[in-house]
Amino acid sequence: MVLNVLFVFQFVKYDIYMDYSWIDCHASEYASTLNGRLFAGVSCNRESINRTSSTDDGMVLTLVISGNGIIQVGNVQYEIIPGTILFRHKRMDYKLSLSSQVFHRRCYIVIPDELFAIYLQLHPNLLKVPAVQSAVNIEKCFDSFLLVLKHIKETCDETFFSLLPVVERYMLYVLSPYTMEGKAASLREAKARLEVDFSTSLEEIANNHSMSYSTFRKAFSENYGLPPQQYRLRCRVEKAKQLLSMGYNCAECADKLSYPDQYSFSHQFKLIAGVTPKEYRKEHIL
């Protein structure tokens, strides 16, 4: 009993001196789409949490940044500590309990079961991913999560399918040690990033995924049939089409898609789409 008290005291003391400003400034963030069935958020509180496979709806991916608890998967019990990644879905039997003894911070994303089934078709190894893992870099995982949260906020129910590659990229990044192997994992993650990141240089993206640009370009072309730059341009224009259909004007699209100016956006759009943004907007506005 004394040891347990000392452990809690030491944990609280350690927690007091940690700098959590990078998550606490997002403590009240929440976003949802698909009639509220796909949602993500940041939680910072002392409330106890209890979940089971029968109470959770769909797939839940949680990054525990501070706090502790226990999760039992089948007959095996695991301790939850800072840096724990929890991957839960209805195909596993689990009981989760987060303690209220300390202040806990976590970010989470919940995906409906029918969408999780789509990801399983693309990545069957997801069923082999353990329920409990450790994050290599907590802050980097949180930065990736914030990108997902941002896209959910900007997506309406009618265009939620544009979120699929964003969520996929986040899952692959967090769970990549188990979902894919070696170069295939890096290439898939880089492809997912090209679909949502239009400002980072291709050289930097290649370096971030442990490849030189020449290796990245060659491998990407061989696997996906066109160079990464061309693939990114097509994704950028497809995103522009969605925005134009939703009523955004050329200047707003140029800003949201990181173009230097409206002229550059209109010129590139016409080269790929065959019509000007104004013409497309007039014909396809919802």
Side-chain angles (χ1 to χ4, degrees):
M1 181 66 179
V2 175
L3 288 176
N4 288 338
V5 172
L6 285 175
F7 173 79
V8 172
F9 174 75
Q10 288 173 355
F11 188 90
V12 173
K13 184 178 180 182
Y14 174 75
D15 192 64
I16 289 173
Y17 292 102
M18 290 295 290
D19 178 15
Y20 289 108
S21 58
W22 48 276
I23 180 174
D24 288 341
C25 64
H26 297 279
S28 60
E29 301 239 7
Y30 176 86
S32 67
T33 186
L34 193 58
N35 293 318
R37 298 187 59 222
L38 190 160
F39 58 92
V42 181
S43 175
C44 298
N45 53 48
R46 291 184 183 275
E47 298 175 6
S48 60
I49 300 291
N50 294 286
R51 298 281 189 271
T52 67
S53 46
S54 61
T55 57
D56 277 332
D57 182 20
M59 186 280 289
V60 187
L61 185 56
T62 303
L63 172 64
V64 178
I65 295 165
S66 74
N68 59 0
I70 289 175
I71 183 170
Q72 181 172 324
V73 183
N75 296 321
V76 183
Q77 188 168 284
Y78 303 89
E79 183 182 6
I80 298 172
I81 60 175
T84 297
I85 294 170
L86 300 173
F87 178 63
R88 297 128 56 197
H89 52 81
K90 289 202 172 270
R91 292 161 181 79
M92 63 172 63
D93 179 28
Y94 62 86
K95 294 180 181 179
L96 166 70
S97 176
L98 291 179
S99 170
S100 61
Q101 292 177 320
V102 294
F103 197 78
H104 52 78
R105 303 165 177 84
R106 67 191 188 280
C107 60
Y108 58 88
I109 179 169
V110 180
I111 302 171
D113 202 48
E114 61 268 31
L115 291 188
F116 182 55
I118 295 175
Y119 290 123
L120 283 180
Q121 292 181 18
L122 295 172
H123 310 288
N125 284 344
L126 282 172
L127 287 180
K128 300 178 183 178
V129 175
V132 181
Q133 305 158 48
S134 295
V136 176
N137 187 317
I138 300 178
E139 290 193 43
K140 202 168 181 182
C141 286
F142 186 67
D143 287 342
S144 296
F145 168 80
L146 289 179
L147 179 63
V148 178
L149 193 65
K150 175 178 180 291
H151 278 270
I152 293 177
K153 287 180 178 180
E154 296 176 350
T155 303
C156 61
D157 290 348
E158 291 77 12
T159 60
F160 81 92
F161 275 109
S162 64
L163 281 172
L164 291 179
V166 182
V167 174
E168 180 186 30
R169 177 189 172 224
Y170 177 64
M171 281 201 304
L172 289 178
Y173 173 71
V174 174
L175 307 175
S176 59
Y178 302 93
T179 54
M180 306 181 80
E181 297 180 358
K183 187 176 176 181
S186 296
L187 199 60
R188 183 78 183 189
E189 289 176 19
K191 175 177 176 287
R193 183 168 180 180
L194 291 176
E195 293 166 355
V196 296
D197 184 346
F198 306 121
S199 57
T200 305
S201 71
L202 294 175
E203 289 79 5
E204 186 176 344
I205 290 177
N207 291 335
N208 287 342
H209 293 86
S210 304
M211 290 181 278
S212 67
Y213 174 68
S214 58
T215 299
F216 171 53
R217 189 179 189 281
K218 182 180 179 182
F220 194 97
S221 300
E222 289 175 350
N223 281 269
Y224 302 116
L226 69 169
Q229 174 68 6
Q230 197 172 339
Y231 181 76
R232 174 191 251 177
L233 290 178
R234 291 189 181 185
C235 291
R236 205 177 191 184
V237 169
E238 286 304 312
K239 181 65 175 178
K241 288 179 179 179
Q242 293 177 9
L243 294 173
L244 291 167
S245 299
M246 293 166 62
Y248 288 91
N249 60 37
C250 292
E252 291 170 329
C253 288
D255 180 61
K256 282 184 172 292
L257 298 175
S258 302
Y259 282 93
D261 50 59
Q262 184 177 333
Y263 172 78
S264 300
F265 164 64
S266 298
H267 179 70
Q268 190 175 91
F269 186 95
K270 186 174 181 180
L271 281 177
I272 297 176
V275 295
T276 66
K278 288 183 179 179
E279 291 170 338
Y280 185 91
R281 183 177 185 272
K282 183 177 181 181
E283 192 171 329
H284 293 86
I285 192 166
L286 298 174

